[in-house]
Amino acid sequence: MSMLRRATTWEISASEESGTETEEVGGGENKCNRTERISTSTSSSSSTLLPPPPPPRPGAAADPSPAKKRRSKEEIEADRRGAEERREGRERRRTARAQEKEERREEQLRRREAAEHLKTLRPENCIKTLTVCIDPGTQGTQALLQQHGSDLLLGSLAACHWRFSIESQQLPHSISWTRDLAQEKDGAAFLEEEQVLLVLTMVDFMDLVFAVSKMLHGDRQELEAEAGSVLCPLYECLNRDAMKVVTLLVTDSEYRTNTHGDETLQSNLGMNNLDIEEVLVYLQLYKNVSLVFVADWQDVTDHVRSVTKALSKRPLRLLAEREELPFCVDGSWASGVRVERDGSGLIQVWGKQMEQLNRVSPAVASRVAAAYPSPQLLLQAYASLDSEDERKRLLAGLLVKSEGKERRVGPEISARIYRCFTAQNPELVLD
């Protein structure tokens, strides 16, 4: 306060010294101005010299805050349920991702297994699972592998690196096939194929034909029991497995399927041609047994190789046949030509109908359809002509543009189209 008083006194004294002259000039008005300047100086000086107010204490609050509201049990329970739902949602998403990952892994495994299985079904791999089973043929007139030229079969199988085994079969003098199922999931170790080759000499074949002929014209049960050593095992094999397909290979060159062979066969059997044909038809239709005459063991070897290659291709073909409509492929032609309600598309159908004829190209069909837009118009054109020759040559002069070249339909195609749409005989051959 002493400083304030001194500052005030100093300013008053200074103003008094300067105010003497002012009083002399201005009078009472200057006195009022002096008073205002003193108050202004006092306030500015005090604001300059006074220290700023101290900051508020940390513990002290300017405005007291309201008390914190406590949550109810319902709110706490709702928050808990929300947290559990979020946790369960995360767990479900994690489980779904893991399941989806497992499904993708299983799908990839299935595809890999399917690809491996398909690879094993290829002929070059499937033939490695086949085994050619050859009966040594110890029963009968002569052992099978002791016949002249039988070594050609074994040498050919060894040269092709095909598996074969020489062991007694249920049907003597036979050649059969088994397929290894080691890569399959079935309980069986191998599968017997239906194809069976029965190699017979001419003597054995004549005994078979004679026995079947007697059976057809006499007591079947008695003759089956008294039949020779060839017929009885054959019937037992067919009765045991009706799906077997037996082929008789007769190894004698002079009795092949020609006129001389038929006459020789008749003379040896004492039977006419009708009786022999009856026996062969019976064996083929009722017993599923076919007959092939071969010249020597080279033909037998070739036949065995052909059957082995066909059996190696069989699994892949069966897999393709299991598909629905395997002969239909995706393409624009698969659905045909669409005909709208207004009739658009009928001319395309008319052209497609003509394309079904042999050697009628799409260009020819389009040209004929352009000249006669409907079958009725073409039939009317045929009816307007007088002679048959004019009707056959009606379309011969039409020009057809194909690959930048012009040519005519020609009389041959014109006559074929005429016969197709005017013939009354359903058995007529167009070509």
Side-chain angles (χ1 to χ4, degrees), residues 25 43 50 52 65 87 120 172 183 213 302 323 329 398 400 427:
V25 179
S43 61
L50 289 177
S65 60
R87 183 168 57 255
T120 59
Q183 298 178 354
S213 178
D302 295 340
E323 301 292 335
V329 297
L398 296 178
V400 180
E427 303 295 336

Side-chain angles (χ1 to χ4, degrees), residues 84-382:
E84 291 180 356
E85 290 177 357
R86 289 191 296 272
R87 183 168 57 255
E88 291 176 356
R90 290 193 297 270
E91 188 66 25
R92 284 194 300 268
R93 290 192 294 271
R94 188 182 301 109
T95 304
R97 288 194 297 268
Q99 184 177 0
E100 184 179 358
K101 184 178 179 180
E102 182 66 19
E103 290 177 356
R104 287 198 302 267
R105 190 185 67 81
E106 293 179 356
E107 181 65 21
Q108 292 177 357
L109 182 61
R110 284 194 298 268
R111 291 182 179 180
R112 190 179 301 110
E113 291 178 353
E116 292 294 333
H117 179 64
L118 184 62
K119 185 178 180 180
T120 59
L121 295 182
R122 293 177 181 176
E124 61 273 13
N125 297 325
C126 186
I127 201 170
K128 299 177 182 178
T129 63
L130 291 175
T131 302
V132 184
C133 303
I134 306 173
D135 184 82
T138 56
Q139 300 178 3
T141 57
Q142 186 181 5
L144 181 62
L145 296 182
Q146 292 180 1
Q147 297 180 13
H148 178 69
S150 59
D151 57 334
L152 293 175
L153 175 61
L154 302 180
S156 177
L157 296 177
C160 295
H161 302 285
W162 294 347
R163 297 191 303 181
F164 64 92
S165 64
I166 302 174
E167 56 186 6
S168 298
Q169 305 293 319
Q170 295 178 350
L171 183 61
H173 293 242
S174 66
I175 301 174
S176 60
W177 287 263
T178 59
R179 188 184 303 275
D180 187 11
L181 298 180
Q183 298 178 354
E184 301 289 338
K185 297 181 181 180
D186 301 336
F190 61 90
L191 173 67
E192 293 184 2
E193 297 290 346
E194 293 85 358
Q195 297 292 333
V196 177
L197 299 181
L198 183 57
V199 184
L200 301 177
T201 62
M202 194 62 199
V203 176
D204 295 333
F205 177 68
M206 288 189 298
D207 292 341
L208 175 65
V209 173
F210 186 72
V212 173
S213 178
K214 289 176 62 177
M215 183 188 66
L216 293 177
H217 296 89
D219 187 359
R220 177 170 302 185
Q221 299 296 332
E222 180 180 354
L223 291 175
E224 283 185 10
E226 296 178 359
S229 60
V230 178
L231 185 60
C232 285
L234 177 60
Y235 269 53
E236 291 177 0
C237 177
L238 296 177
N239 293 332
R240 185 169 48 252
D241 189 357
M243 299 302 295
K244 290 291 185 181
V245 181
V246 181
T247 302
L248 303 179
L249 296 181
V250 182
T251 59
D252 202 329
S253 60
E254 64 174 323
Y255 296 108
R256 303 191 69 180
T257 54
N258 49 36
T259 305
H260 175 72
D262 291 341
E263 293 176 353
T264 307
L265 182 60
Q266 296 173 19
S267 62
N268 282 273
L269 295 176
M271 303 168 59
N272 56 28
N273 188 31
L274 185 60
D275 293 336
I276 297 176
E277 293 294 335
E278 183 182 7
V279 171
L280 298 181
V281 169
Y282 169 77
L283 291 175
Q284 186 170 5
L285 294 183
Y286 292 93
K287 299 300 180 180
N288 201 16
V289 176
S290 58
L291 174 65
V292 177
F293 284 98
V294 293
D296 50 17
W297 270 89
Q298 181 61 50
D299 292 343
V300 175
T301 302
D302 295 340
H303 195 89
V304 171
R305 293 181 58 182
S306 300
V307 175
T308 306
K309 291 180 180 179
L311 291 176
S312 67
K313 299 176 183 178
R314 185 181 182 184
L316 193 60
R317 290 181 178 178
L318 291 177
L319 181 63
E321 290 176 359
R322 283 201 297 265
E323 301 292 335
E324 184 177 0
L325 299 179
F327 54 86
C328 290
V329 297
D330 295 334
S332 59
W333 62 271
S335 58
V337 179
R338 183 179 181 84
V339 179
E340 303 295 342
R341 293 182 179 270
D342 58 353
S344 58
L346 286 174
I347 191 170
Q348 286 82 6
V349 175
W350 169 227
K352 291 290 184 182
Q353 184 178 0
M354 283 185 289
E355 287 182 28
Q356 296 178 6
L357 299 178
N358 190 21
R359 294 192 298 275
V360 175
S361 63
V364 173
S366 300
R367 182 65 184 90
V368 175
Y372 302 96
S374 68
Q376 187 65 30
L377 294 177
L378 181 59
L379 294 177
Q380 291 176 3
Y382 286 142

